[in-house]
Amino acid sequence: MTTSTAQSQPAPAWLLQREVALCPCGCIGKRRKGSYVAKTLSGASGVLRQAMSSDDIAAQPGLLQRLDPRIKLVSLLGLLVTVALLRSLPLLAGAYVVTLVLAAASKLSVTFFIKRVWLFIPIFTGIVVLPATLSIITPGHVVLPLWTWHGQPQGFTEQGLHSAGLIITRVATSISLVVLLTLTTPWVRLLAALRSIGVPRMFVLIIGMAYRYLFLLLDTVDDMYTARKARTLGGGGDSAAGRRFVAASAGTLFGKAHQLSEEVHQAMLARGYTGDARSLQVFRLRRIDVVWTICAAAGAVALLLADRGLGG
Amino acid sequence: MHIPDGYLSPQTSAVFTVSMLPLWWQSARQVRKVVKSRYVPLLALGAAFSFVIMMFNVPIPDGTTAHAVGGALIAILLGPWAAGIAVSIALLIQALFFGDGGVLAFPVNAFNMAVLLPFVAYGVYRLLAGNAALTSPRRVWSAAVGAYAGLNAAALATAIEFGVQPDLFHKADGTPLYSPFHLSQSIPAMMLPHLLIAGLVEAAVTAGVLTYLQRANVPVLRINAPNVALTPAEVARRPVSPVRVGMVTLGILALISPLGLLAPGGAFGEDAPEDLDLARYHLSAVPTGLQKYTDFWGNALLPGYGDGSPWQYVVSAIIGMAAIAVVAGALVWLLRRVRGGEAGAADIDGGSGVDTPPVKEGSGSPA
Amino acid sequence: MTEPVLACSDLRYAYLERFAALDGVSLSVAPGETVALLGANGCGKSTLLKVLDGLIFPDSGEFHAFGEQVLEDKLEDEQFNKGFRGRVGFVFQNSDAQVFSPTVREEIAFGCLQLGLDRATTADRVDDVVSMLDIGELVDRAPYQLSGGQKKRVAIASVLVMNPEVLLFDEPTAALDPRTQFWLIELLHQLRTAGKTIVLASHDLDTLPELADRCLVFSEEHRVVADAPTGELLADHDLLLRVNLVHERSQLLRR
C-alpha cells in the first residue's frame, strides 16, 4: 500500500518518483532588469509600508514623538497655512531649514528625511514648473535670453524664475511638514487624532480598513507582474494561458484579502466596535505640548509679520 | 489631477474646505443610511481600488498628472455619496503618505475627484440608463459615457482652479505667487490628456467591471438599485463569488497598466532612495518606461521582438503606440456615434452639471 | 426548566443568496451548559456561531439571546449593542483576524474600552487576565510577532477580559501544538466550573468527552441530524461515519 487511502485515487506514478526539476538550475548569463511597472508597484508598496509602519521611528524619544498627536496635527496644519501664505523666498527657505531642524530634533536621519521629501518634488512639481520660467508663459524681465521672437529676446524671466523658486520651496516645505507628522506618529494614534478633531467615525473606520486592503491590492498587482514576467521567460509563449494563470493567482490572493478583512471587521464588531477607535493611551496635554504650541504660534506669527515687511 | 500644496492660494483652499465640510457630513449620513455597516469593507475596498487606479498616471505640463480615478464605478455600484467617501479616503492617504496631492489642497482635490466626478458620472448614467434591466447593454454604455463625462468634468474643474490663480494672486511686478499658468494654458493642457486618455481609461474600467458583474454577480449590482425589477433570466443566473469579481477587476487593471508605463520613474519607481539623482528623473526615466512599454507590447503583440537590438524596441514601441492610438480613436468614434456626435459637448454639460440631480436612493435595504 | 440563554428556531442562511450554509437549524442552550457543534468542514458550524454572535443575520428563522430577539437593527442601538457584546464573547478560528491592535496590551484592552469601561479599571483587568493566562512577557510586543499558540492565548485573553457570560469558540484546538491544546482544554474546564455557558465548534472527537456536555451533529446538508449527550453520541459509530466525522480507518472506531 502506498500513501494513498483506500477510497481516493492512487497517486500518479510520477509523483512517487524522484526527478530533477523541470528546468536545470544554474546561471547562463542571460538576465533582464525588473519590470518597470513591477518596480513601480513594489516601490509603492515599499514606500507605503515604510510610511505607515514607521513605528520604530515613531517610537524614538524625539521632540515631535513626545507631542500629543492632536496638538501635532493641528499645529502642523497651522504651519502649512502659514507656509502657504508666505510670499518671500528667503523666508520660505528659512521655514524649510526649520523643518530640517525639527527632523533632527525628532531623531530622524536628516539625509533620509531630505531624500524622502525631494523624492516627490521632481515628479509632481519640478518638471511641470519648468515651462513657467520662460517668457512665453510668464512675461517679464528676461534674464537669460535663449531666442528672439519678432525682435524681442525670449528666455528665462526674472519673474518666472522667482515664481518657480517660490513654488518649489513652498512645496518642499509643505511636504516636509506632512512627512514630519506621518513619520513621528504611529498610524493608530494618527487615526485617533483624526477622530478627535472631528472626522466622522465612518471615515476613520474605512480609512483603517482601506489601508489594510491597500497593501494586499498592491502586493497582488505586483505579483501579477511577477507572474507575467515568469510566463514570458522565453519571450512569446501562450499568453492566454498566462493571463488565466495570473488572474487565478491574483484572484485567490484578492479573495483571501477580502475574506480576512471582513473577518477582522467582524472580530472588531464582536468586541463592541462601533467605529470609534479608543486607545488605552490617554491623550493628556503636558507641558511640552503647551510649550510647543506657543513656539509654533509665535514662529508662525513672526514669519507672517516678517513677510509683510519683506514680501509685497 | 492631484493639486499639490503650493499651487493654490490658501484662500482657495479655505473656500473649498468650507464647502466640502457639509458635503462630507452629508455623505457620511447618506452612507450610514443606504450602505449600512456590513458594506463598510466594500467601501474600504473601493478606496483601495481607487488608490491603485490613481497610481497609473501620465504627467502633463501644467503641474498635474492625468489618470483614471475609479470613482464612476464606485458611484454606480454603491451610490455617489459612497463613492465620495471612498475617493476622499484614497486622496487623504495619498496626501498624507505619498505627498501626492497636498494636505491643504485636499478639500479641492476631493471636490474635483470625489464629488464632481461621481455625481456627474452617476447623473449621466442614470439619465441614459433609465429603467433598463440590470443586465442590459444599455447600462454598460451609459456607465462608460458617465465615467468619461465625470472624469473630464473633474479635469475641467482642476484646470479652472489652476487657471484663475495667476490673475488673482501675484506680486506687484507680476510674479505669480501660486500656479503660474493662465486659463488659456491650463485648460488645453488639462483637457487634452483627459479627453484623449484618462477619460477613456475611466470609461473602460467602469464598463469592463460592470459587464463582468452583469454576468457574474447581479446581487452586487442591486446594492444601489434595489428597486429595479429582476428579469427571470437574472433570477435564474448563478452568482459567482466575490473572489472572481476581484480577479476580473485586477485583470482589467493589468490590461490598462501599459498606460502607467508612461509615468516618470517617480517616487514609486526607486526602491532605494540612495539612487536618487534628479537628472535621471528628467532624462532617463521615460526611456526606461518606454523600454518596458516595448517589452509589454513586444510580448503581447509581437512575440519574439522583445529580446534584441534597440531597433526592435523602437519598432515594437511604435507599433504599440499605434495600437493605442487606434484603440483610442475607435473608442472616441464609438462614443461619438453613441452620443450623436456630442462627445465634446458633454464635458461642458458635465462641468456645469454640478447640479445634476442625484437620484435619491430608495430606503429599501440591499438585497 | 430554566429559560435558555441562547435559542434559535429554524435558522436559514445562504451566502450570496445561493450557497446554503444553514438549512433549518434549531438550537437551545441552557445557562452553564457546554455544547459542542460537530460536523465536517463547510457544514455550517462557523456560520451558526457567527449568527449566535450577532455578526451575520439569518435569512429566515429567529434567534433569541437572554430572552430578547437579536436583529441587525437592534444591534445598532447603543445600549442593546453594549449589553449583547459584553455578554457574548467569540474566539475566532483564525487568530490573525482577531488580533489587529498595535500591541498585545492594546489588543486585550480593546473590548473593555469599546464597552465604555474607564481606563484605570481596564488596565487592572488587563493585568489580571495577563497573569491568569501567563502571557506577561508578551504585553508590549506587536501581535504579528507572536507564534500561533501565543496569538491564540492573546485572542482568548482579549475575549475573557470582557468577562462574558457566553463564550463561543470556533475550532479552538485547531492548528495548535500539543502543549497549547492541553492548556486550552484545562482552561475550558476552569471556565465551565466557573459557570460560563460555552458553545464550541469542533471536529476533534478525541478531546470531546472532556469538553462538552452535549453535542449537536451537523450533516453535510447543513442540517442538525443529532442532538445528544456526548457519551451517547460518540458511541453511535454509524452516525459519525455518515456525517463524515470519522473515517472507517479512524482510531476511534477501533477502540
Side-chain angles (χ1 to χ4, degrees):
Chain A
M1 192 75 200
T2 56
T3 50
S4 68
T5 58
Q7 280 179 353
S8 59
Q9 296 295 315
W14 55 262
L15 192 61
L16 305 173
Q17 269 168 12
R18 289 167 60 82
E19 99 185 293
V20 287
L22 287 176
C23 285
C25 300
C27 302
I28 52 167
K30 211 171 147 184
R31 289 184 190 183
R32 287 189 192 197
K33 284 175 70 182
S35 149
Y36 176 80
V37 168
K39 266 178 84 182
T40 303
L41 288 163
S42 60
S45 61
V47 170
L48 198 68
R49 219 175 278 277
Q50 190 193 22
M52 287 177 161
S53 57
S54 55
D55 285 348
D56 41 340
I57 297 180
Q60 300 230 333
L63 169 69
L64 289 176
Q65 287 92 333
R66 262 183 275 165
L67 295 176
D68 182 301
R70 291 169 302 175
I71 295 285
K72 207 178 345 180
L73 187 63
V74 173
S75 60
L76 287 176
L77 278 177
L79 290 177
L80 271 179
V81 175
T82 312
V83 166
L85 284 168
L86 293 183
R87 297 156 166 233
S88 133
L89 196 50
L91 282 179
L92 271 173
Y96 179 67
V97 173
V98 172
T99 64
L100 295 184
V101 174
L102 285 176
S106 305
K107 312 256 166 171
L108 296 174
S109 146
V110 174
T111 42
F112 165 76
F113 180 71
I114 291 175
K115 279 174 184 164
R116 186 60 201 280
V117 168
W118 284 93
L119 206 58
F120 300 121
I121 291 172
I123 311 94
F124 298 118
T125 307
I127 303 169
V128 297
V129 98
L130 280 179
T133 57
L134 297 172
S135 48
I136 40 169
I137 303 275
T138 313
H141 176 55
V142 177
V143 286
L144 179 63
L146 296 176
W147 72 92
T148 53
W149 177 261
H150 293 298
Q152 294 286 321
Q154 302 281 319
F156 293 113
T157 64
E158 195 186 314
Q159 282 87 344
L161 288 173
H162 192 168
S163 170
L166 272 179
I167 289 191
I168 291 184
T169 331
R170 200 184 283 121
V171 170
T173 316
S174 306
I175 294 181
S176 298
L177 288 171
V178 176
V179 169
L180 276 178
L181 171 71
T182 46
L183 277 185
T184 60
T185 319
W187 168 248
V188 195
R189 303 204 76 196
L190 192 62
L191 280 187
L194 283 177
R195 174 79 190 101
S196 68
I197 62 161
V199 178
R201 283 176 181 196
M202 180 73 124
F203 280 65
V204 176
L205 173 62
I206 300 173
I207 295 172
M209 295 195 73
Y211 129 95
R212 266 197 296 269
Y213 275 132
L214 209 51
F215 289 135
L216 289 152
L217 263 182
L218 284 174
D219 283 351
T220 307
V221 181
D222 189 17
D223 283 352
M224 289 174 67
Y225 282 98
T226 316
R228 190 165 78 190
K229 203 95 201 122
R231 161 176 68 84
T232 52
L233 263 184
D238 182 357
S239 60
R243 266 196 298 276
R244 270 198 300 278
F245 165 72
V246 168
S249 53
T252 318
L253 235 172
F254 185 89
K256 276 188 195 149
H258 184 101
Q259 208 185 335
L260 180 66
S261 196
E262 212 145 273
E263 270 215 332
V264 169
H265 179 59
Q266 287 182 337
M268 294 170 89
L269 286 181
R271 285 195 273 152
Y273 187 70
T274 47
D276 225 350
R278 281 179 215 167
S279 170
L280 198 57
Q281 273 176 311
V282 195
F283 285 158
R284 214 181 301 125
L285 294 189
R286 290 177 304 178
R287 214 174 55 203
I288 187 167
D289 295 310
V290 179
V291 174
W292 162 262
T293 311
I294 293 171
C295 290
V301 170
L303 276 174
L304 288 174
L305 286 179
D307 191 57
R308 276 288 146 81
L310 285 174
Chain B
M1 223 189 290
H2 293 60
I3 306 174
D5 275 341
Y7 269 78
L8 297 179
S9 62
Q11 290 89 334
T12 317
S13 299
V15 170
F16 278 90
T17 309
V18 170
S19 42
M20 277 309 291
L21 286 178
L23 286 172
W24 276 320
W25 183 77
Q26 176 66 6
S27 57
R29 248 175 57 107
Q30 284 285 332
V31 167
R32 210 167 310 154
K33 215 165 67 193
V34 180
V35 179
K36 289 219 171 168
S37 141
R38 75 176 118 144
Y39 289 110
V40 159
L42 213 54
L43 261 179
L45 198 62
F49 171 75
S50 169
F51 185 104
V52 174
I53 288 203
M54 287 195 275
M55 274 179 31
F56 294 98
N57 49 33
V58 188
I60 48 175
D62 74 328
T64 48
T65 47
H67 52 76
V69 173
L73 179 68
I74 307 173
I76 289 164
L77 293 182
L78 297 176
W81 293 107
I85 293 189
V87 179
S88 293
I89 284 168
L91 290 172
L92 185 70
I93 296 179
Q94 283 174 325
L96 284 178
F97 294 101
F98 276 78
D100 189 7
V103 169
L104 287 186
F106 167 63
V108 188
N109 287 324
F111 176 79
N112 298 335
M113 284 179 270
V115 175
L116 208 52
L117 189 161
F119 275 97
V120 170
Y122 191 66
V124 171
Y125 164 75
R126 287 300 292 255
L127 272 177
L128 293 177
N131 218 9
L134 286 177
T135 50
S136 67
R138 183 169 160 190
R139 291 221 173 237
V140 174
W141 63 253
S142 305
V145 176
Y148 187 78
L151 193 89
N152 282 295
L156 185 65
T158 312
I160 292 172
E161 287 144 13
F162 267 127
V164 297
Q165 299 296 324
D167 292 324
L168 293 179
F169 307 97
H170 52 80
K171 289 195 179 185
D173 66 351
T175 307
L177 280 166
Y178 303 99
S179 163
F181 299 96
H182 291 269
L183 279 176
S184 59
Q185 291 144 353
S186 68
I187 292 186
M190 276 302 281
M191 292 319 291
L192 209 66
H194 286 92
L195 285 169
L196 289 181
I197 301 173
L200 296 175
V201 174
E202 183 85 11
V205 170
T206 311
V209 175
L210 217 60
T211 312
Y212 181 74
L213 288 175
Q214 286 189 335
R215 279 199 344 200
N217 199 334
V218 178
V220 170
L221 295 176
R222 287 192 67 197
I223 293 173
N224 192 37
N227 300 328
V228 178
L230 287 180
T231 63
E234 284 163 12
V235 176
R237 201 162 278 168
R238 193 179 165 80
V240 181
S241 75
V243 176
R244 295 203 49 197
V245 177
M247 256 158 68
V248 168
T249 313
L250 283 166
I252 290 166
L253 258 178
L255 282 179
I256 62 162
S257 62
L259 294 170
L261 299 173
L262 289 173
F268 323 132
E270 295 299 323
D271 294 322
E274 305 87 69
D275 300 344
L276 185 63
D277 175 358
L278 292 190
R280 283 185 37 179
Y281 285 110
H282 296 286
L283 298 177
S284 71
V286 175
T288 320
L290 201 64
Q291 178 203 322
K292 291 302 158 190
Y293 192 62
T294 312
D295 263 8
F296 176 81
W297 288 102
N299 288 331
L301 299 176
L302 305 162
Y305 268 70
D307 52 30
S309 73
W311 282 108
Q312 286 170 321
Y313 282 128
V314 173
V315 168
S316 47
I318 291 171
I319 294 178
M321 286 188 199
I324 285 200
V326 168
V327 171
L331 273 170
V332 170
W333 177 80
L334 209 73
L335 279 167
R336 277 184 193 283
R337 269 185 63 106
V338 162
R339 301 166 63 190
E342 288 182 8
D347 307 309
I348 296 151
D349 292 344
S352 63
V354 192
D355 47 3
T356 305
V359 185
K360 280 270 170 260
E361 266 68 71
S363 57
S365 70
Chain C
M1 186 181 157
T2 50
E3 191 176 322
V5 204
L6 304 173
C8 306
S9 57
D10 203 26
L11 295 180
R12 276 166 220 280
Y13 185 86
Y15 285 100
L16 290 169
E17 300 178 350
R18 197 141 275 257
F19 305 108
L22 298 174
D23 190 8
V25 170
S26 299
L27 161 76
S28 159
V29 182
E33 199 179 13
T34 302
V35 177
L37 310 175
L38 297 179
N41 290 332
C43 68
K45 297 173 304 213
S46 298
T47 309
L48 179 59
L49 285 177
K50 284 186 177 173
V51 171
L52 294 180
D53 199 36
L55 296 174
I56 56 179
F57 301 90
D59 301 330
S60 71
E62 288 185 1
F63 165 45
H64 292 258
F66 315 105
E68 284 226 47
Q69 190 173 0
V70 178
L71 295 167
E72 185 166 19
D73 212 34
K74 258 168 135 178
L75 273 173
E76 309 233 322
D77 180 273
E78 204 169 321
Q79 188 61 42
F80 186 83
N81 188 49
K82 280 188 179 168
F84 181 80
R85 299 292 179 211
R87 294 167 85 178
V88 184
F90 189 1
V91 179
F92 283 70
Q93 179 179 1
N94 179 0
S95 308
D96 276 321
Q98 202 164 3
V99 287
F100 44 78
S101 301
T103 67
V104 168
R105 189 190 297 279
E106 287 277 346
E107 185 62 56
I108 301 176
F110 183 88
C112 291
L113 292 175
Q114 292 306 313
L115 295 178
L117 219 63
D118 65 75
R119 289 197 173 87
T121 322
T122 304
D124 289 346
R125 275 206 187 192
V126 171
D127 290 340
D128 291 345
V129 171
V130 162
S131 60
M132 172 184 160
L133 298 190
D134 197 21
I135 46 176
E137 75 280 14
L138 305 179
V139 286
D140 289 318
R141 290 175 52 191
Y144 66 83
Q145 299 171 323
L146 307 180
S147 72
Q150 289 170 326
K151 269 186 210 161
K152 188 60 114 190
R153 284 179 194 236
V154 171
I156 292 174
S158 69
V159 171
L160 286 185
V161 75
M162 298 160 74
N163 193 21
E165 283 171 47
V166 178
L167 283 157
L168 310 171
F169 289 86
D170 195 358
E171 304 276 358
T173 52
L176 291 182
D177 57 68
R179 196 186 307 139
T180 316
Q181 268 192 32
F182 180 74
W183 167 84
L184 187 64
I185 291 164
E186 288 285 291
L187 178 75
L188 284 168
H189 253 302
Q190 277 181 29
L191 293 170
R192 266 172 89 182
T193 39
K196 302 282 181 198
T197 308
I198 299 175
V199 180
L200 53 94
S202 179
H203 47 212
D204 179 11
L205 300 182
D206 293 336
T207 53
L208 212 54
E210 310 162 54
L211 284 182
D213 306 320
R214 184 158 71 98
C215 295
L216 252 72
V217 179
F218 280 74
S219 70
E220 289 176 290
E221 288 75 44
H222 316 287
R223 293 192 199 98
V224 175
V225 287
D227 181 351
T230 310
E232 206 173 295
L233 196 122
L234 286 181
D236 189 349
H237 291 177
D238 288 342
L239 173 76
L240 296 181
L241 260 176
R242 201 167 65 236
V243 299
N244 189 17
L245 268 173
V246 293
H247 192 267
E248 46 191 77
R249 301 198 323 180
S250 291
Q251 288 284 325
L252 195 77
L253 299 186
R254 298 193 187 150
R255 278 180 201 158

